[in-house]
């Protein structure tokens, strides 16, 4: 039994120009800098004007270095902060330039413990986690299961997270697997929007 669903993207910094994309429209202009933070309100992260500018520029730099996951973390920091609406709008626009990673191209990998510690900071980040699938529900249109993170060796269970694929996918509950997907956070719970599965080898014992 072999199930492989892999989305690949090509990454080789040596063949790219210094600039990955023209982001001149996302530069912070005079109006942005004049109203860089919101006054009042309650925020997950309270940043100074200099911190907002530094965080935004870091997100742009990480994107140009093909580190979309790390850039997403900085964007999430801004979106959950007192940064102005115009800064947040440009940060969201930057997300539209991100590419879907594959198992072999994903950079800045975050483990379960890291994501669990501050889920909002890792929202929409791509992860590759190993584990086992249980409570599988599959049909011709979708697949969902509870993913036992870290339980691929049947020795340690790091956590349990729901995984949902919006396409037909097969999975063998007797064998360990790797899941590629995006972190979602709704109702105080972490879930994964599945993008790919790799499963092969012998059943776990």
């Amino acid at each position: 039994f072999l199930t492989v669903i892999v989305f690949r993207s090509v990454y080789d910094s040596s063949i790219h120009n210094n600039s990955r994309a023209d982001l001149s429209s996302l530069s912070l202009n005079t109006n942005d800098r004049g109203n860089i933070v919101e006054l009042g309100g309650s925020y997950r992260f309270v940043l100074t004007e200099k911190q907002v500018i530094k965080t935004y520029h870091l997100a742009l730099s990480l994107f140009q270095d093909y580190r979309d996951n790390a850039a997403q973390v900085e964007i999430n920091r801004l979106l959950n902060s007192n940064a102005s609406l115009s800064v947040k709008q440009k940060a969201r626009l930057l997300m539209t330039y991100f590419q879907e990673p594959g198992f072999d191209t994903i950079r800045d990998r975050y483990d379960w413990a890291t994501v669990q510690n501050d889920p909002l900071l890792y929202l929409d980040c791509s992860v590759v986690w190993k584990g086992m699938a249980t409570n599988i529900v599959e049909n011709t249109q979708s697949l969902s299961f509870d993913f036992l993170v870290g339980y691929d060796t049947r020795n340690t269970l790091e956590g349990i997270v729901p995984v949902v694929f919006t396409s037909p996918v097969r999975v063998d509950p007797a064998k360990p697997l790797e899941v590629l997907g995006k972190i979602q956070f709704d109702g105080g719970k972490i879930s994964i929007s599945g993008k790919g599965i790799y499963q092969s080898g012998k059943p776990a014992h």
Side-chain angles (χ1 to χ4, degrees), residues 71-131:
Q72 183 67 65
V73 171
E74 300 309 319
I75 288 174
N76 289 338
R77 196 185 312 278
L78 290 171
L79 296 180
N80 289 281
S81 78
N82 58 321
S84 67
L85 179 59
S86 63
V87 172
K88 292 178 179 179
Q89 287 175 334
K90 289 186 174 181
R92 289 187 184 280
L93 283 174
L94 177 58
M95 291 172 57
T96 65
Y97 288 87
F98 291 173
Q99 295 179 342
E100 290 282 0
F103 282 93
D104 57 348
T105 61
I106 185 172
R107 305 179 71 193
D108 298 291
R109 300 190 177 208
Y110 305 114
D111 59 21
W112 165 262
T114 299
V115 173
Q116 178 72 11
N117 187 56
D118 198 342
L120 285 177
L121 201 56
Y122 299 94
L123 179 65
D124 290 322
C125 284
S126 297
V127 294
V128 173
W129 288 343
K130 294 181 180 180

Side-chain angles (χ1 to χ4, degrees), residues 50-64:
K50 289 184 178 180
Q51 287 174 328
V52 170
I53 294 172
K54 181 179 180 180
T55 302
Y56 184 74
H57 285 167
L58 178 56
L60 293 175
S61 177
L62 289 167
F63 166 77
Q64 294 291 13

Side-chain angles (χ1 to χ4, degrees), residues 68 79 93 103-104 154 162 164 190 200:
D68 292 356
L79 296 180
L93 283 174
F103 282 93
D104 57 348
R154 298 280 178 100
V164 177
I190 297 172
S200 65

